[in-house]
Amino acid sequence: MSVTVRFAPSPTGFLHIGNARPALMNWLFALRNQGRFVLRYDDTDRERSTAEFAEAIAGDLAWLGIAPQQSVRQSDRIALYDAAAEKLRAQGLLYACYETADELDRRRARARALGRPPVYDRAALKLTDEERARLEAEGRRPHWRFLLPNHDGDPFVTRRAEMAWDDLCRGAQSVDLASLSDPVLIREDGSYLYTLPSIVDDIELGISHVIRGEDHVANTAVQLAIFAALGAVAPVFAHHNLLTTISGEGLSKRKGALSLRSLREAGVEPMAVASLAVLTGTSHAIEPADSLETLAGMVDLADVSRSSAKFDPADLGPLNAKLVHGLAFADVAGRLAGMGISGEKAEAFWLAVRENCAMVGEAARWWTAITDPVPLPVDADDADYLVLATSLLPGEPFDETTWGAWTGALKQQTGRKGRALFLPLRKALTGEEHGPDMKSLLPLIGRRNSVARLS
Ligand code: GLU
């Protein structure tokens, strides 16, 4: 089967790390199966959806390394939804209801008080044409419900109707349609709720696998019934656990700080975000993967655990540092150049300093240390030591052995060791009290600069 997946965000805000999980679960699945990835903007909520958010979503996905093969907007596809609604209406499967939200609330409360499940009783199906006309004349507009296939001809006598599917994350699933209310597909103002457009698009776009958060499990049984009513074969489903913070709190309240945008602006690597977003709540240990291809090879949907996917945002820092320590020069050359770090020394520089960077941006500090340090005051005890150090500085060329030879000679002459031997030199040469290995930095600083900084 050829694989086509989709990620379907509503462009009503910025993507956060919790949204990165379904986006990546889909993208990685497509990578593993040579499939296609469709970006579908669920923008039927015209008031809250904006073109700016849609653009930001595409930008944030690109930053993660996700390059959709196709992008569609639901707002361009209303005619398709109208046609599907008509098809359901023609089969008597979409019926007009006139209850107000208040009436429905009251009925649910009454059902609960009587110990009955608060399932819609299909009262609207009993309306006569005259009653309907009267309601319309009163100015009431209908909302439209889908008649679930949980009866044998008489919709007022329901029977068990198990909808079962084999979920790629959760295994065998089954929901009794008799326990559900007929879903509202179209609101009073004629706008569509999420359910029908999603199904129509999944059919139209040839979606083979629907991979999404487990908050949609309850929708799936209903959607399966609608796929069948529209004469379509339903896709395979996979519902993964949702990313939450350690306290179990959903991400909505935290999404500002954990938006992909703000993480990117803070200098976090996309692969640190991707590794955490995907590996949390799986049977796999959380470690930084160097590419999405690597990540795709590490986890599969079946590795997603059944319990929650709790993560600590504080883990991003160490994960990012671990990733940065292993980044090759080619991975960062462009960004370094953007910070003014280029030229023949740039690669050796990066290899010398990367282990001292928790974020790539910190390289700027070490570049300053090498090229233009801010001098630190020299301790009185060290003044003569630095004069001696200048006189013992080996000739060029400088290489990785220069530092050892130089400090060895200084040790012998002065009896200094440890901090007393090394720190005055580091401070004078780099303007820093700690930092990357001096044996790698000294050749980058060079003899002329060293002499100038020691005196
Ligand atoms: N727009 C829906 C959401 O963001 C899409 C759900 C789905 O993947 O079917 O929850």
Side-chain angles (χ1 to χ4, degrees):
M1 178 206 304
S2 73
V3 165
T4 303
V5 294
R6 87 299 194 275
F7 172 55
S10 297
T12 54
F14 292 118
L15 294 184
H16 56 78
I17 189 165
N19 306 123
R21 187 170 176 81
L24 286 161
M25 290 289 184
N26 278 287
W27 179 252
L28 300 179
F29 187 78
L31 277 184
R32 277 193 298 276
N33 297 285
Q34 291 84 46
R36 298 174 71 248
F37 177 104
V38 179
L39 170 59
R40 184 184 90 199
Y41 292 112
D42 283 5
D43 61 349
T44 49
D45 181 345
R46 303 300 290 159
E47 300 215 324
R48 291 172 57 231
S49 303
T50 71
E52 288 72 29
F53 283 133
E55 209 172 295
I57 286 171
D60 289 343
L61 291 180
W63 176 70
L64 279 177
I66 295 176
Q69 276 83 14
Q70 187 181 359
S71 295
V72 297
R73 276 198 306 244
Q74 290 197 321
S75 56
D76 290 339
R77 304 166 61 81
I78 305 291
L80 291 169
Y81 315 144
D82 290 345
E86 216 30 70
K87 198 165 168 184
L88 296 177
R89 247 182 228 117
Q91 297 174 74
L93 295 178
L94 193 59
Y95 62 98
C97 303
Y98 293 85
E99 295 88 352
T100 63
D102 276 352
E103 275 165 4
L104 291 171
D105 277 348
R106 276 201 301 278
R107 281 195 211 175
R108 274 192 289 264
R110 207 177 318 132
R112 274 197 209 94
L114 294 171
R116 294 199 203 114
V119 172
Y120 178 61
D121 59 5
R122 295 176 167 162
L125 281 177
K126 292 185 174 146
L127 292 174
T128 61
D129 287 348
E130 294 83 69
E131 284 168 325
R132 233 176 265 126
R134 189 166 38 76
L135 287 164
E136 298 262 350
E138 280 170 17
R140 292 230 202 167
R141 291 282 159 269
H143 55 274
W144 296 80
R145 288 185 190 261
F146 173 72
L147 184 64
L148 286 170
N150 54 11
H151 60 92
D152 291 317
D154 178 354
F156 301 103
V157 185
T158 55
R159 57 154 173 79
R160 272 186 86 81
E162 295 289 340
M163 267 295 166
W165 74 93
D166 198 7
D167 194 292
L168 294 189
C169 290
R170 300 162 62 90
Q173 303 287 297
S174 154
V175 174
D176 179 8
L177 292 179
S179 67
L180 303 176
S181 293
D182 288 339
V184 177
L185 300 188
I186 306 176
R187 299 187 186 88
E188 271 173 42
D189 64 2
S191 67
Y192 288 95
L193 281 102
Y194 144 81
T195 311
L196 183 64
S198 182
I199 296 163
V200 172
D201 287 335
D202 287 343
I203 297 170
E204 263 285 315
L205 299 167
I207 303 301
S208 61
H209 294 75
V210 169
I211 302 166
R212 59 188 178 188
E214 65 189 7
D215 48 337
H216 287 287
V217 167
N219 289 335
T220 299
V222 164
Q223 293 192 341
L224 285 169
I226 302 176
F227 274 105
L230 291 172
V233 177
V236 176
F237 285 89
H239 294 90
H240 60 77
N241 47 12
L242 301 176
L243 220 50
T244 66
T245 58
I246 3 187
S247 55
E249 174 191 318
L251 283 175
S252 51
K253 288 189 208 121
R254 304 284 299 270
K255 55 186 175 197
L258 292 168
S259 73
L260 298 184
R261 203 132 281 241
S262 58
L263 293 171
R264 167 189 185 173
E265 275 159 16
V268 179
E269 296 298 307
M271 280 312 302
V273 175
S275 304
L276 192 66
V278 170
L279 296 175
T280 302
T282 70
S283 54
H284 209 282
I286 297 170
E287 53 177 307
D290 60 357
S291 69
L292 293 178
E293 287 71 19
T294 307
L295 202 50
M298 283 161 73
V299 270
D300 202 352
L301 293 171
D303 303 333
V304 168
S305 60
R306 295 297 297 275
S307 51
S308 63
K310 290 187 181 174
F311 86 108
D312 184 350
D315 288 345
L316 262 178
L319 201 63
N320 195 69
K322 211 165 156 192
L323 194 72
V324 169
H325 299 166
L327 287 179
F329 177 63
D331 297 330
V332 293
R335 277 187 283 166
L336 293 182
M339 295 182 233
I341 302 171
S342 58
E344 54 180 9
K345 288 180 179 174
E347 178 159 11
F349 162 77
W350 172 249
L351 297 179
V353 307
R354 63 181 180 179
E355 298 226 2
N356 288 76
C357 298
M359 302 223 183
V360 173
E362 291 169 21
R365 172 179 178 181
W366 303 120
W367 187 247
T368 300
I370 282 163
T371 57
D372 190 20
V374 183
L376 289 174
V378 176
D379 290 351
D381 300 354
D382 292 332
D384 290 346
Y385 176 60
L386 293 184
V387 174
L388 179 68
T390 311
S391 70
L392 291 183
L393 192 62
E396 295 208 287
F398 276 11
D399 61 22
E400 295 254 314
T401 65
T402 309
W403 173 259
W406 183 32
T407 53
L410 278 166
K411 182 177 184 177
Q412 219 173 21
Q413 290 238 353
T414 61
R416 286 185 182 232
K417 50 187 191 254
R419 270 174 74 84
L421 178 68
F422 302 121
L423 190 58
L425 304 177
R426 178 185 286 281
K427 282 167 63 178
L429 292 174
T430 68
E432 295 278 358
E433 297 198 348
H434 61 87
D437 204 342
M438 285 304 297
K439 85 176 192 313
S440 310
L441 296 188
L442 189 58
L444 294 166
I445 294 168
R447 193 169 200 287
R448 199 160 51 90
N449 287 332
S450 299
V451 171
R453 294 174 196 178
L454 288 164
S455 48

